[in-house]
């Protein structure tokens, strides 16, 4: 699927307040989140995405004194990619000294409200990644803002997804980064191999629902845990997850991230 680009004219961007610094090439992309509250209502209302992007631009221009929105592109839940500073222009969001290394791509999630990235956001981020590789001379790196800079950005769910190799949702083959050296593949070999991490955290509350939850539950039941295979990750799944994490000697946060996911298949049965 080609990129579904929302041009600056489409989203009513203000003009930049000066000229961009040109950027010949980058090593890849850094992924960001808003760091604030994102109204979950935008999932059902693309106009809400437009308003949010406009307000981010106003904040960056009027609050930060930047010449434009700090991001190269913005990915929304509707698998649309807003043009920020765009191709071959230095972004401002990666942090001092770090902007020329990577394009900056914002996923429209925050640390409150809409926290878990919908599949549309993940797809749109990857559409932007492919676009800057093809048209913007970007390299293959996909990193988080926090890589090399002291920040929580892009938040735990998006960062876990980045660390898992930024797979396409829906399991159509996963990330296409040939440099992928996911440390999760370091097991001895010959053992069972986990299916690709779904790219979002399974957690409760609120209840996480989906086929990925069902897949994990089925596997845990096959390992002998007592839980319902109903595709809904609630208190029961969380409690099983915690006990499993303690058994495996990893942090018992009750959240199925990339490590806990992999262990469900690859940890030896005790
Ligand atoms: Zn950031
Ligand atoms: Zn949208």
């Amino acid at each position: 699927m080609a990129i579904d680009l929302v041009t600056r004219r489409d989203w009513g961007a203000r003009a930049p307040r000066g000229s961009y610094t040109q950027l010949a090439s980058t090593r890849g992309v850094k992924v960001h989140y808003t760091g604030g509250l994102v109204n979950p209502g935008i999932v059902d209302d693309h106009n809400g995405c437009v308003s949010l992007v406009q307000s981010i631009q106003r904040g960056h221009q009027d609050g930060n004194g930047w010449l434009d929105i700090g991001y190269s592109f913005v990915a929304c839940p509707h698998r649309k990619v807003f043009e920020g500073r765009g191709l071959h222009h230095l972004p401002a969001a990666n942090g001092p000294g770090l902007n020329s290394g990577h394009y900056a791509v914002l996923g429209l999630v925050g640390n409150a409200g809409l926290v878990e990235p919908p599949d549309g956001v993940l797809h749109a981020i990857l559409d932007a990644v492919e676009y800057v590789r093809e048209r913007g001379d970007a390299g293959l790196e996909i990193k988080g803002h926090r890589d090399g800079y002291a920040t929580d950005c892009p938040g735990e769910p998006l960062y876990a997804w980045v660390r898992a190799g930024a797979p396409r949702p829906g399991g159509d083959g996963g990330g296409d980064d040939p440099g992928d050296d996911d440390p999760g593949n370091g097991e001895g070999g010959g053992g069972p191999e986990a299916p690709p991490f779904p790219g979002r955290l399974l957690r409760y509350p609120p209840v996480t629902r989906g086929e990925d939850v069902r897949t994990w539950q089925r596997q845990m039941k096959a390992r002998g845990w007592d839980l319902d295979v109903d595709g809904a990750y609630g208190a029961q799944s969380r409690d099983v997850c915690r006990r499993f994490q303690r058994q495996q000697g990893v942090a018992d946060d009750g959240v199925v991230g990339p490590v806990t996911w992999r262990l469900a298949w690859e940890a030896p049965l005790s």
Side-chain angles (χ1 to χ4, degrees):
M1 175 169 162
I3 187 170
D4 186 356
L5 203 60
V6 182
T7 65
R8 294 176 65 91
R9 176 203 282 259
D10 289 338
W11 64 268
R14 290 175 172 174
R17 289 180 171 163
S19 4
Y20 299 115
T21 301
Q22 295 297 306
L23 193 59
S25 65
T26 73
R27 296 200 298 275
V29 164
K30 282 195 173 165
V31 175
H32 298 257
Y33 78 156
T34 69
L37 170 73
V38 171
N39 180 353
I42 69 167
V43 171
D44 300 313
D45 175 21
H46 180 67
N47 289 329
C49 304
V50 174
S51 304
L52 180 53
V53 172
Q54 289 171 338
S55 76
I56 292 169
Q57 185 194 31
R58 283 196 300 273
H60 285 181
Q61 288 187 321
D62 301 346
N64 298 7
W66 294 350
L67 64 90
D68 193 4
I69 189 170
Y71 305 104
S72 309
F73 295 93
V74 180
C76 89
H78 309 97
R79 196 171 175 177
K80 291 177 185 292
V81 178
F82 288 71
E83 183 184 27
R85 296 196 181 194
L87 299 169
H88 292 297
H89 297 151
L90 187 75
N94 294 336
L98 297 170
N99 288 306
S100 62
H102 298 82
Y103 286 103
V105 176
L106 170 68
L108 279 188
V109 293
N111 64 4
L114 185 62
V115 170
E116 299 293 331
D119 284 357
V121 167
L122 301 180
H123 277 300
I125 291 173
L126 291 171
D127 292 343
V129 164
E130 289 172 8
Y131 186 67
V132 298
R133 285 177 184 173
E134 286 167 17
R135 305 277 301 275
D137 210 357
L140 296 176
E141 286 185 0
I142 303 177
K143 298 203 162 201
H145 187 188
R146 69 170 70 169
D147 292 316
Y149 190 77
T151 172
D152 288 336
C153 184
E156 289 308 324
L158 261 188
Y159 192 61
W161 175 73
V162 166
R163 293 283 297 162
R168 279 278 178 195
D172 67 346
D176 53 0
D177 182 350
D180 178 23
D181 56 357
D182 183 350
N185 293 333
E187 88 278 6
E193 200 172 307
F197 179 65
R200 64 167 183 168
L201 302 177
L202 313 184
R203 67 202 310 176
Y204 168 83
V207 176
T208 306
R209 294 175 198 280
E211 272 312 302
D212 47 359
V213 171
R214 195 182 298 275
T215 300
W216 178 83
Q217 289 171 329
R218 194 180 296 120
Q219 175 63 15
M220 293 303 283
K221 195 172 182 83
R223 290 187 74 97
W225 296 89
D226 181 22
L227 81 173
D228 301 327
V229 181
D230 58 2
Y233 192 95
Q236 184 197 49
S237 290
R238 180 200 57 196
D239 293 346
V240 165
C241 176
R242 280 211 175 115
R243 276 150 54 207
F244 175 65
Q245 287 172 324
R246 272 179 229 135
Q247 182 197 76
Q248 295 299 324
V250 299
D252 60 339
D253 57 5
V255 176
V256 181
V259 172
T260 301
W261 175 272
R262 177 170 54 81
L263 287 171
W265 278 266
E266 299 177 5
L269 281 168
S270 48

